[in-house]
Amino acid sequence: MPVWRKWFSSNVAAQKTLERVISKAGLGSRTQARSWIHARRVKVNGKIVENPDHWVDFDRDRVEFDGKPLEVSEKVYLLLHKPTGYITTFKDPEGRPTVYDLLQGVETFLSPVGRLDLDTSGLLILTNDTQLAERMTNPDHHVPKTYLVACEKPVSDDDISSLRRGVVLNDGPTRPAIVSRKGADRVEMVITEGRNRQVRRMLEAVGNKVITLTRVKIGQLEIGDLPVGRWRALTPRELEKLAAGNQRHRN
Ligand code: URA
């Protein structure tokens, strides 16, 4: 059995759309996959397929890209210290810088594990291991993310108590946060959800405003002294910790 088929059979449900198959093989984003399919670069069982939503059955179908059988690239795991002013999507219609502009020398297509806002800096994991990414971003897995938060106004003890209990946002109540004071207007917050602009909205819910936000830790993985704008590969030890932590948060 070809290596890519073996991988797919053991890792994902047997049927997927062609667009997902291409993107999950680590060749590019789903948007890129669609454009390649429309550009007639993809064949299924020897025939060009132009429909990105075409269903592919891994046990039966043979997929080729530019005439070569689809191969699964080696798993790559990076840690990037994202600066503010960069978005975490692959392409921005407004032409703003993206985190991909910072990945010089990385040849495999990687996806960010969760997102950081344009105005948030800090730890971002990028990988082509879609299973790990899915596990880490699954809200049921409660993976803790640690942020350093500088606020516009002093954060009162009452505000800290409210954040610790969890606050009500327009998309529902949050889980309790672990909050430690780091100064009159600074806190460290650990949250186990990944809702849109969650930390900012939680601070707004207690009448404050976030001025700077930096993610310093995901599970046991820390940003350490990696300079802003730089990336490095995760060490085997860090990967082990990530996988073990993920297992632990699920239980
Ligand atoms: N919470 C936010 O408000 N923004 C982020 O980027 C991450 C968490």
Side-chain angles (χ1 to χ4, degrees), residues 1-9 21 25 56-58 61-64 69-72:
M1 186 189 276
V3 63
W4 72 271
R5 262 201 218 183
K6 207 158 150 190
W7 182 85
F8 274 124
S9 315
V21 167
V56 175
D57 182 334
F58 311 122
D61 299 325
R62 188 167 39 85
V63 181
E64 289 168 71
L70 212 60
E71 294 215 357
V72 177

Side-chain angles (χ1 to χ4, degrees), residues 116-117 120 147 197-200 213:
L116 287 177
D117 300 334
T120 302
Y147 295 88
R197 296 180 78 80
Q198 182 167 341
V199 173
R200 292 171 202 279
L213 185 60

Side-chain angles (χ1 to χ4, degrees), residues 149 153-157 160 180-188:
V149 194
K153 296 188 285 188
V155 187
S156 70
D157 290 343
I160 291 184
S180 348
R181 181 180 288 291
K182 296 286 169 191
D185 54 359
R186 276 163 206 270
V187 287
E188 182 186 271

Side-chain angles (χ1 to χ4, degrees), residues 122-123 125 143-148 188-191 214-224 241:
L123 196 165
I125 299 170
V143 175
K145 279 135 319 217
T146 307
Y147 295 88
L148 291 179
E188 182 186 271
M189 269 178 73
V190 185
I191 58 170
T214 306
R215 182 157 69 192
V216 290
K217 207 167 164 187
I218 300 179
Q220 291 308 305
L221 182 66
E222 296 190 57
I223 192 80
K241 273 207 252 176

